[in-house]
Amino acid sequence: MDKFNLSRRESLGLAALATGMAAVPTVANAGKKKSGIDFVTKIDFKDPKWNRDVYARIDGDIDPTKEKCGWIKGKAMGVRPNEKVRTLFGVEGFSFVRMKKLEDGSYRRMLREIVFYTDLETGEVLTEWENPYSNETVKVVPIANDPFNFTISEFLPEGPSYGGLNKDLRKPKPFLQDWEYGPNGTMILNNGIDLMYPNALQPSKWVRESAGVMNRVSEHFIYVVEQKDVENPELTHIPHIGSWSRVTPWLPWMLMGAAEGQINYFTHFQTIPEGVAGLPAHLVKAARDMDEKWLSAPTEDYGPSLSSLELYAREQTPAPVPEGWEPPKAPEAPAGFPPR
């Protein structure tokens, strides 16, 4: 497991991030394009086609005969009023992506991903968890998305519809991303999305699982790549490392109801060029125990693409509501404590 851990110093410095990428093998630029796949390599932050092609090469491998494996690890924090932030459990998982080139030059990105919640001390996958806010043992439900597909084109995607629940879709705009040059020959990409849409878990039915009528989620990504890889006409996938953060309501399986507070995810991720062989064995076993499909990317496009909340609503059943049950309450503010 040691090779999957980034030290605190490494996680704080972009130069160190670039150093971490040096361990990822890349294909040398042989001058003549061996892949036979055309894509834009000349860097132009204002060119939607360049942004489309480079993002597709980061998110997956635009050679449709290949799949890209990504690994993610971090922690989930509980945030409530009038108390310090609390680290609740680890977050670790992986995804497999396949890209399909469309006639208009766009790419259909087809993904399976599974993310487990883990014990903070041992790193083992949790099946049950002692909720410190309610002192109740609850069943843990991993993130298991099959699929989560979208199209990468010259225009910004509308945004996830989440089975039609999200009506606040973006109007078409050129696909221009937030790029900047970093140290030591790196390039840095920032992107993300902020959403508020009707909750698939309505509190009238999902009393203990639902955080409320609306679901507010914010997800943001930082990718660090090497400029020479971006410009390399032989690389159909661009190795990268980066970070993912997410702000979301209490997870439904925590059975917090409409309690005050939220979950914040803080993670780092990277390409795993060896695929399944390069993933931690305990994650592979946990995924295989669920279904062998999690160890490969989809070979064809299908749907719908749903988030973990919509899947929870389809696959789980509401927990019993004990008589007199109330959501866990945050502590009262100490005397003289500034208003929150």
Side-chain angles (χ1 to χ4, degrees):
M1 290 295 294
D2 289 345
K3 71 175 180 177
F4 294 96
N5 292 323
L6 292 179
S7 70
R8 182 174 183 273
R9 182 176 180 182
E10 286 173 328
S11 66
L12 291 176
L14 289 175
L17 288 176
T19 301
M21 284 188 294
V24 180
T26 61
V27 180
N29 184 355
K32 184 178 180 181
K33 187 175 290 188
K34 298 178 182 178
S35 68
I37 300 172
D38 291 325
F39 49 89
V40 180
T41 58
K42 182 180 179 181
I43 296 173
D44 184 351
F45 294 167
K46 300 300 182 182
D47 179 5
K49 289 184 178 180
W50 175 82
N51 277 277
R52 175 198 66 193
D53 288 357
V54 73
Y55 184 78
R57 291 165 65 208
I58 291 172
D59 200 34
D61 191 317
I62 60 174
D63 183 342
T65 67
K66 299 177 181 178
E67 59 183 19
K68 170 246 179 174
C69 176
W71 166 80
I72 189 169
K73 184 176 183 179
K75 295 178 181 179
M77 330 290 282
V79 184
R80 297 200 303 178
N82 304 323
E83 68 177 21
K84 67 180 182 180
V85 173
R86 188 182 310 205
T87 304
L88 299 178
F89 31 74
V91 178
E92 188 173 11
F94 57 88
S95 64
F96 284 91
V97 181
R98 191 180 306 277
M99 291 289 183
K100 179 182 178 181
K101 189 74 171 285
L102 304 180
E103 290 184 1
D104 65 356
S106 302
Y107 302 90
R108 186 64 174 169
R109 173 259 216 182
M110 302 177 293
L111 170 143
R112 284 193 189 106
E113 63 181 349
I114 188 158
V115 180
F116 297 103
Y117 297 104
T118 60
D119 184 271
L120 291 171
E121 296 296 327
T122 66
E124 293 303 308
V125 172
L126 292 170
T127 57
E128 292 185 332
W129 178 68
E130 183 73 22
N131 186 336
Y133 300 122
S134 63
N135 296 317
E136 179 181 12
T137 300
V138 295
K139 173 189 170 185
V140 177
V141 179
I143 298 171
N145 294 330
D146 176 28
F148 204 90
N149 302 344
F150 60 82
T151 299
I152 304 168
S153 76
E154 296 179 54
F155 301 95
L156 284 172
E158 287 185 326
S161 70
Y162 297 131
L165 291 170
N166 179 28
K167 306 295 185 183
D168 185 21
L169 304 181
R170 296 181 288 207
K171 295 180 180 179
K173 294 181 179 179
F175 189 66
L176 301 178
Q177 297 290 283
D178 181 7
W179 284 97
E180 60 183 288
Y181 289 104
N184 301 327
T186 61
M187 296 173 63
I188 303 163
L189 169 62
N190 290 271
N191 71 11
I193 192 166
D194 305 297
L195 297 171
M196 189 166 183
Y197 61 94
N199 195 345
L201 302 171
Q202 288 294 303
S204 57
K205 177 180 179 180
W206 302 86
V207 178
R208 304 190 67 194
E209 294 85 357
S210 178
V213 173
M214 300 297 289
N215 187 43
R216 182 175 62 188
V217 175
S218 180
E219 298 195 46
H220 289 269
F221 300 80
I222 298 173
Y223 302 85
V224 183
V225 298
E226 294 196 28
Q227 181 176 340
K228 65 181 179 62
D229 290 343
V230 173
E231 296 176 311
N232 187 342
E234 293 302 327
L235 282 186
T236 52
H237 169 65
I238 300 172
H240 57 274
I241 54 178
S243 67
W244 170 62
S245 61
R246 183 186 193 200
V247 179
T248 191
W250 300 116
L251 304 179
W253 53 264
M254 294 174 65
L255 304 183
M256 295 286 285
E260 288 185 287
Q262 65 194 39
I263 293 287
N264 288 3
Y265 291 75
F266 297 96
T267 71
H268 56 82
F269 58 78
Q270 69 184 66
T271 302
I272 302 296
E274 304 90 351
V276 173
L279 291 169
H282 72 295
L283 294 186
V284 173
K285 181 182 184 305
R288 181 172 278 131
D289 287 346
M290 292 176 60
D291 197 310
E292 190 75 22
K293 71 177 182 179
W294 299 110
L295 303 179
S296 62
T299 56
E300 58 185 42
D301 195 7
Y302 55 87
S305 296
L306 304 173
S307 78
S308 55
L309 283 182
E310 289 79 61
L311 288 172
Y312 195 100
R314 294 185 178 204
E315 298 172 354
Q316 306 295 324
T317 55
V321 183
E323 184 177 354
W325 178 85
E326 292 184 351
K329 289 183 168 55
E332 296 291 332
F337 197 75
R340 52 187 165 93

